[in-house]
Amino acid sequence: ENIKYIQTEITINTRDTIQLKQDIFKEIDRLPFRFKSVIKAQFLVESSHFTSALVVENKNLFGIRLPKNRTTLAIGENLNHAVYKTYEDSVMDRLLYDALYMKDLSEEQYYSYLDRVYARAGNNYSKMLKSVILSNSL
């Protein structure tokens, strides 16, 4: 009986995660991101499919640090990263970041920027994003 209860809880949590992923994808599609597949891949990578502490504790879907010199929707800082009131605020803040720093870049320049500035993984970051895009049909 206890095992059955645990399995039910896992199923509910998995279902919730799948729905949340779909909701985040819809929000990304709704907003004027230029390279939506890249943003979706970043979301999957940075959130570790909703398992990262940044997602659980900070509602931070993109690994964004608390900005010092730009408008942000972050409400604080935890784990050296921005904290958001909602997941939607995290997506909107990523859009603000794009609008400020990346609005005029071609797709290859966009990837190059992410390699240089956004991630610490260097050129491997864009390769990882491209792989996630292919494997998830984004």
Side-chain angles (χ1 to χ4, degrees):
E1 187 175 342
N2 287 340
I3 291 173
K4 188 175 184 180
Y5 174 76
I6 291 169
Q7 288 173 338
T8 302
E9 287 297 308
I10 291 169
T11 303
I12 290 169
N13 289 337
T14 301
R15 232 183 272 139
D16 291 346
T17 300
I18 291 168
Q19 183 61 51
L20 187 53
K21 175 184 167 186
Q22 291 171 348
D23 291 346
I24 298 301
F25 278 7
K26 285 179 189 173
E27 186 71 0
I28 292 168
D29 285 336
R30 185 183 72 77
L31 295 168
F33 286 106
R34 291 184 53 229
F35 305 111
K36 294 174 190 295
S37 61
V38 179
I39 299 299
K40 289 176 184 178
Q42 267 193 293
F43 152 62
L44 294 175
V45 168
E46 297 293 340
S47 73
S48 297
H49 297 273
F50 294 106
T51 61
S52 77
L54 293 180
V55 171
V56 174
E57 294 183 34
N58 296 8
K59 293 191 173 137
N60 186 333
L61 300 173
F62 298 97
I64 296 174
R65 295 193 181 271
L66 184 64
K68 307 252 187 276
N69 299 318
R70 73 166 174 88
T71 301
T72 182
L73 296 173
I75 58 171
E77 184 176 38
N78 181 42
L79 304 171
N80 296 314
H81 286 77
V83 175
Y84 298 96
K85 186 175 181 180
T86 66
Y87 293 120
E88 292 80 9
D89 285 351
S90 177
V91 176
M92 287 298 296
D93 202 47
R94 183 62 179 82
L95 181 63
L96 289 172
Y97 183 91
D98 253 32
L100 184 61
Y101 299 111
M102 304 164 77
K103 66 181 177 190
D104 296 324
L105 302 180
S106 70
E107 189 170 5
E108 279 312 306
Q109 290 170 326
Y110 196 88
Y111 277 118
S112 180
Y113 178 91
L114 291 174
D115 283 339
R116 281 189 337 272
V117 178
Y118 194 89
R120 294 189 173 148
N123 290 339
N124 291 331
Y125 190 67
S126 63
K127 289 176 187 172
M128 180 176 25
L129 293 176
K130 289 174 184 179
S131 174
V132 169
I133 290 167
L134 285 175
S135 64
N136 288 276
S137 301
L138 302 175

